[in-house]
């Protein structure tokens, strides 16, 4: 099975900072990569799919890139409402594995 | 779109349980559906999927042979039968909808989840 590895596992940044989270697949998955945001006590929300396509309603400060095995989620200017855990997921076939998550906090 | 799970309870190790998900607001029988679980304080773990017609299913290795996914399109309902439960199955179980009716797609709607606790 393909493994998904995120880094870092947590980060702390200031409001307005640019934040980058990486996700690496153990084998190529083309662009079948999604990013989810899970705020404390809430269900996950789809942010990005097809590695770089923003889900409707998601602020434009979020962006995604990558293909094959290496992917990136970027928040261009961190806002207080972005405090959450972010997960990548490969949806190329089963199992639809998630990364272990990256917890983003405000410094 | 609404997904509402039910059926979570406290069950002893080795026991069985069926959780359900009632779907509304979309054409249920067009979409592959999934179960995803989250143990307390832990990350997301994909558990199982079922195709729109129930003909195709798949499972995480951690539950294969113990869990069975099914659906009743006449009732807009998704189910997960869990047998031989272990303490490590303790989690909030979410149902989730595929975002597209065909091909591989991520999950665009999630239910709030139903809590399954396996404990003696």
């Amino acid at each position: 099975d393909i493994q998904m590895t995120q880094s870092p596992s947590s980060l702390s940044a200031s409001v307005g900072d640019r934040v980058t989270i990486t996700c690496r697949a153990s084998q190529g998955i083309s662009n079948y990569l999604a990013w989810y945001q899970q705020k404390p006590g809430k269900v996950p929300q789809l942010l990005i799919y097809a590695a770089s396509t923003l889900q409707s309603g998601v602020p434009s400060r979020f962006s995604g890139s990558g293909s094959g095995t290496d992917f990136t989620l970027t928040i261009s200017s961190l806002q207080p409402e972005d405090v959450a855990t972010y997960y990548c997921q490969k949806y190329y076939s089963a199992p639809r594995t998630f990364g272990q998550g990256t917890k983003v906090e405000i410094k | 779109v609404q997904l509402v799970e039910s059926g979570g309870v406290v069950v002893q190790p080795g026991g069985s349980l069926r959780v359900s998900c009632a779907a509304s607001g979309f054409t249920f029988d067009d979409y592959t559906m999934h179960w995803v679980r989250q143990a307390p304080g832990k990350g997301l773990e994909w558990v199982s999927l079922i195709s729109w017609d129930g003909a195709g299913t798949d499972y995480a290795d951690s539950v294969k042979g113990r869990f069975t996914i099914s659906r009743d399109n006449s009732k807009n309902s998704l189910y997960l039968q869990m047998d031989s439960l272990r303490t490590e199955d303790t989690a909030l179980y979410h149902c989730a909808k595929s975002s597209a009716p065909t091909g591989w797609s991520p999950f665009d709607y999630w239910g709030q989840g139903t809590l399954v606790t396996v404990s003696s």
Side-chain angles (χ1 to χ4, degrees):
Chain A
D1 292 346
I2 297 172
Q3 306 303 312
M4 305 300 293
T5 304
Q6 283 181 238
S7 62
S9 56
S10 66
L11 66 89
S12 181
S14 299
V15 172
D17 280 355
R18 183 181 184 89
V19 168
T20 299
I21 299 168
T22 64
C23 177
R24 175 164 288 176
S26 59
Q27 298 175 40
I29 58 170
S30 185
N31 68 337
Y32 292 99
L33 190 282
W35 290 96
Y36 298 87
Q37 175 193 62
Q38 186 176 30
K39 295 183 178 181
K42 303 294 186 184
V43 299
Q45 302 269 327
L46 178 64
L47 286 180
I48 287 169
Y49 62 95
S52 61
T53 303
L54 217 59
Q55 175 73 344
S56 175
V58 174
S60 59
R61 62 180 179 275
F62 291 94
S63 64
S65 64
S67 183
T69 60
D70 293 308
F71 303 88
T72 299
L73 172 69
T74 300
I75 308 173
S76 61
S77 177
L78 186 68
Q79 300 302 303
E81 60 266 32
D82 300 335
V83 168
T85 301
Y86 294 84
Y87 296 92
C88 63
Q89 182 206 23
K90 70 107 174 155
Y91 54 93
Y92 171 80
S93 191
R96 308 289 179 91
T97 309
F98 291 91
Q100 78 275 22
T102 296
K103 188 173 184 179
V104 174
E105 298 175 322
I106 299 291
K107 194 182 294 183
Chain B
V1 172
Q2 263 205 314
L3 299 170
V4 180
E5 302 91 340
S6 62
V9 292
V10 179
V11 61
Q12 291 191 336
S16 296
L17 183 65
R18 188 177 86 156
V19 293
S20 304
C21 171
S24 61
F26 65 104
T27 305
F28 181 70
D29 55 11
D30 275 353
Y31 292 87
T32 293
M33 296 294 294
H34 301 261
W35 287 100
V36 177
R37 69 184 180 183
Q38 188 165 30
K42 302 296 185 182
L44 302 171
E45 181 186 14
W46 175 82
V47 173
S48 183
L49 69 83
I50 186 165
S51 62
W52 65 274
D53 60 354
T57 60
D58 215 329
Y59 300 91
D61 287 346
S62 57
V63 306
K64 202 170 290 183
R66 301 187 299 120
F67 289 13
T68 304
I69 191 171
S70 62
R71 65 192 296 163
D72 185 338
N73 287 343
S74 69
K75 296 181 178 179
N76 286 356
S77 292
L78 176 71
Y79 307 102
L80 186 67
Q81 175 69 39
M82 299 183 286
D83 298 320
S84 303
L85 282 161
R86 305 167 180 168
T87 55
E88 56 264 36
D89 295 319
T90 294
L92 190 62
Y93 284 74
H94 298 275
C95 63
K97 171 188 166 290
S98 289
S99 64
T102 58
W104 294 310
S105 63
F107 310 159
D108 59 351
Y109 288 93
W110 299 60
Q112 292 295 318
T114 188
L115 183 61
V116 174
T117 303
V118 184
S119 174
S120 54

